[in-house]
Amino acid sequence: MRCGDRAVTAGLDVFLTNIKLHEAPQLASDVFARIQILPGSGYRSLSPVKRRQWIEGTLAVLKASPNGATPPARRTVTAVRTVAAAAPAARPVQRPLAPGTPKLTAEEAARLGVDAPVHALKRVPFALAVKFDKLGVHTVRDLLLLFPRRHADYGDPVPVAHLEFGREQTVRAHVWSAKERQFGFRMRATEATIGDATGMMSCVWFNQPWIAKQLPTNAEIVVSGRVSEHQGRPKFDNPEWELWSSDLLHTGRLVPVYPLTAGLPNRTVRRVMREALDQYVRLLADPLPPEMRKRLGLIGIADAVAQMHYPADRAALEAARRRLAFEELLPIQVTMLLRRRLFQKSAPAEPMPMSAHVERRFKESLPFTLTGAQERVLFDVLNDCRKPVPMSRLVQGDVGSGKTVIAAAALAAAIENGRQGVMMAPTEILAEQHFRTLKDLFGANGGAGNVVSAYPPFLSRALRIALLTGGAKTKERQEVHGALERGEIDIACGTHALIQGGVRFHDLGVAVVDEQHRFGVMQRAALREKGSHVAHTPHMLVMTATPIPRTLALTIYGDLDVSVVDELPPGRQPVKTTWVAADERASAERFVREQVQGGRQAFVICPLVEESETLDVKSATAEYDRLRRQVFPDLRLELLHGRMSAKQKDAVMRRFRNGEADILVSTSVIEVGIDVPNASVMLIEGADRFGLAQLHQFRGRVGRGAEQSYCLLLAEDPREEARKRLELMEETSDGFRLAEADMEMRGPGQFFGTKQSGLPGLKVARLSDVKIIEMTRHEAERLLDADPGLTEPQHRALNERVRKLIDSVVDEEH
Ligand code: ADP
Ligand code: MG
């Protein structure tokens, strides 16, 4: 004993302080006294000689301590080390453990129930608890809810003679021999021969020489794995195995496969999980009231959790998943509905019906006939406007599906009723684009400047339309503000500037928000408030081109009604899309040049560098330089990336739109809604790095004119999954199909970015679970009808979850 204060991680003092703090009542008084005699500056401040004296004295006290179970001194020190290592100083430290003593007293265990720390389990020593900690598993409850990523289906044992090469199968056999073997210079392995009445086979476990000792000759074992072939005979490489018993954990059934960190093998987790299930699963409280469960045919929480880990069969697993998915989605739906009910009740809206003759003349004034889908959505929107409840509708439609006219109709309804309308876009250039479109639709022939007068053929009066962006001069802006407040402007188009400080409306009837996913719920709320100095809440219309699968829309936009423009105007030519291999780059670039020489324009999208925006910008700049110097020295190129200010970006986009550049080289910032009809070709570098939804958004930038457009996807050597994406892009231009596929391949979090989706990481539910989502939606309505505040005792658990969700959503939006 050198008394170097090395035995305990972070030093003995830290440990002593913690046990004094948290465990004082459990300490024998003489042990406590030993701690107390240490100087205030701690054990560390003592000389090695003094340290030894103190330790020897303390050990003597511990040995003599009345509760007989006190372990030999060395053990205590070892235990102390693990304790201190396991528990960061801020957390309560458990008493030192010793073989034989329970880790928690019976009362403690009973009091904590499933909230007991994982090391309360017999099979979890502290060292293991540390590893669980890294997975975010602190309590037994956390552990029970650590669901497997998947299950390996090894099925019931089959005779050795019936094994089929290439399949995952199980045999139950006896060990004929098992020995350690040396492979090459370094590798040691276990090699075993096993057999049953029908034949024999070999098993090899690489790098696990110790298994040999666990396989005594004649032991009966069960082995599961993929069957490979060795000289015409079946063979298992690194199979799962265990001694035969009636309760198999690793083989011969649906075996759970967990998400893991290093040092936490599946075998260990399975064993620990079995103990946790046996001891604790019945203690989980069920947040779903029994009446609801019964009505909906959902199994209880304990069964569900148990079956998630060790399902009896596929059907049982599905029933468990269904129940847990429901439980996960219900609070989300309730939150969304609450939000919606709240604002609908908070203030009524003024009905603003559009009269039949105005509607007819509005449609007649358009340069085209509405598509069937546009007619349907328009009907929904005008219908909402008629009600004394504020409209809250999401209009979803693929790029180019013609959402803008629908927005225009809602604005027209407001104006017919003598009220104002506003249309908000995420960028200046898009706001300008809308301004131009509205000027056309409302008959502002040739008006210039930020505020124009229009004489729509479908209304009996003139009106004024304004553009308000951050780039406007202060004086102009103040003028527009004043005019808006006095009601001298009927329609305002703009960016965020519209919801900033000084802006007040005289009487806002409808607010349109374009490209929804750039705006959070809070911004929507701010916009709504702008109109509410009159006691009415404005109607709100949200538009997005992001093709959100219906199931996802129901969940994320549970607070909105959803209409879909699922048809493109006639005569659009689908963009011809081709995946181009690396060695065809030159010919792709030649094609771009031909298009430009034919008077068209081109986009070049640079590969995504996910690690950092700086790198992203760097690579885009390099690509721009390369193209400008080596490939297209005679053409006019522009560069666009995320590190440029909004003003710079807008200037670049404007030059490109006005035909002052031939090729726009851009990072992924180009994604949202810009319309350059003369652009006919898009070349996407590193196309394998982008998701389907994003590729589709890019592609939507071309093909907006009447002529044939092209999209070239450059990918060097795509992996299997990326290859599938590229092929799908070639095959279809249906945004919804692509979005569904994208979500299936990457999960909803990736699809939207967890942040934007506002979805807490879903553990069990899949957004392809249409039925369950609809069921939760329906149930949420029913629940809030019956108990609007969720105050009844059987709804307490749900209430808590909803409150947590609301808090987390609000956090994210600030
Ligand atoms: P998005 O849904 O992407 O916002 P827009 O509203 O910008 O689409 O419409 C894209 C183009 O299609 C516009 O030039 C618009 O004038 C045109 N358009 C919209 N509806 C129709 C239609 N029914 N028939 C023909 N062209 C249409
Ligand atoms: Mg649009």
Side-chain angles (χ1 to χ4, degrees), residues 268-301:
T268 310
V269 181
R270 287 184 204 134
R271 272 194 297 265
V272 169
M273 197 63 79
R274 172 46 69 201
E275 184 190 345
L277 288 168
D278 291 345
Q279 305 283 324
Y280 286 91
V281 80
R282 298 282 141 200
L283 302 180
L284 283 172
D286 202 322
L288 304 179
E291 175 278 324
M292 182 190 288
R293 266 186 358 239
K294 217 168 134 206
R295 186 160 40 79
L296 301 174
L298 297 169
I299 59 176
I301 182 110

Side-chain angles (χ1 to χ4, degrees), residues 413-660:
I415 294 156
E416 189 190 352
N417 288 273
R419 311 191 55 204
Q420 292 169 298
V422 43
M423 185 146 166
M424 190 157 88
T427 63
E428 302 210 350
I429 192 103
L430 275 176
E432 280 176 21
Q433 192 171 294
H434 285 321
F435 183 54
R436 238 174 310 121
T437 308
L438 291 180
K439 284 199 291 189
D440 284 348
L441 290 174
F442 286 90
N445 302 327
N450 270 1
V451 182
V452 299
S453 296
Y455 308 91
F458 46 88
L459 290 176
S460 48
R461 68 176 179 91
L463 56 97
R464 300 222 300 158
I465 309 176
L467 174 68
L468 189 63
T469 59
K473 293 195 190 74
T474 317
K475 187 156 160 276
E476 272 173 21
R477 195 160 44 216
Q478 280 167 350
E479 274 172 22
V480 174
H481 285 187
L484 276 172
E485 189 149 11
R486 290 188 299 275
E488 295 161 8
I489 287 175
D490 303 273
I491 297 176
C493 265
T495 54
H496 290 75
L498 277 175
I499 55 167
Q500 273 152 10
V503 189
R504 279 277 148 202
F505 291 88
H506 177 66
D507 183 8
L508 186 59
V510 64
V512 179
V513 181
D514 195 12
E515 302 297 350
Q516 143 74 14
H517 63 292
R518 294 291 166 100
F519 293 105
V521 177
M522 296 320 269
Q523 281 167 312
R524 250 153 53 202
L527 186 54
R528 221 185 255 291
E529 241 168 48
K530 290 290 163 193
S532 60
H533 82 167
V534 185
H536 299 287
T537 309
H539 294 278
M540 172 149 308
L541 187 64
V542 176
M543 304 198 295
T544 180
T546 308
I548 309 155
R550 188 181 143 67
T551 48
L552 188 56
L554 273 176
T555 312
I556 323 180
Y557 299 124
D559 60 336
L560 303 173
D561 294 307
V562 179
S563 299
V564 185
V565 191
D566 51 4
E567 186 184 344
L568 291 182
R572 290 279 165 82
Q573 303 195 45
V575 178
K576 280 199 177 134
T577 304
T578 319
W579 162 27
V580 181
D583 53 0
E584 296 167 324
R585 172 187 298 276
S587 79
E589 287 167 352
R590 222 173 13 252
F591 183 77
V592 169
R593 171 180 292 281
E594 281 164 18
Q595 289 286 310
V596 171
Q597 283 165 347
R600 318 301 302 275
Q601 288 164 284
F603 291 102
V604 175
I605 308 292
C606 299
L608 188 67
V609 186
E610 295 202 27
E611 302 83 60
S612 88
E613 198 184 23
T614 318
L615 286 179
D616 215 16
V617 170
K618 231 177 164 171
S619 92
T621 311
E623 176 69 5
Y624 169 72
D625 282 338
R626 185 184 75 85
L627 292 172
R628 197 167 50 114
R629 298 220 170 94
Q630 297 169 20
V631 188
F632 304 116
D634 51 330
L635 304 182
R636 299 166 300 167
L637 274 67
E638 289 273 5
L639 173 66
L640 188 74
H641 62 65
R643 280 290 163 89
M644 296 161 83
S645 69
K647 220 171 167 178
Q648 288 171 315
K649 274 189 265 188
D650 277 327
V652 168
M653 278 310 306
R654 201 165 294 129
R655 286 199 291 278
F656 187 62
R657 199 189 55 210
N658 295 343
E660 292 162 35

Side-chain angles (χ1 to χ4, degrees), residues 789-808:
L790 293 183
T791 47
E792 288 170 22
Q794 75 271 27
H795 298 147
R796 220 187 30 228
L798 269 175
N799 186 330
E800 241 164 65
R801 290 191 190 191
V802 168
R803 220 164 331 138
K804 262 195 210 140
L805 260 175
I806 292 178
D807 290 348
S808 70

Side-chain angles (χ1 to χ4, degrees), residues 36 106 144 205 219 313 407 440 471 516 547 588 590 707 737 759 813:
Q36 289 300 86
L144 288 171
W205 288 272
D313 50 37
D440 284 348
Q516 143 74 14
R590 222 173 13 252
E707 277 165 72
R737 230 192 105 197
L759 286 178
E813 282 167 2

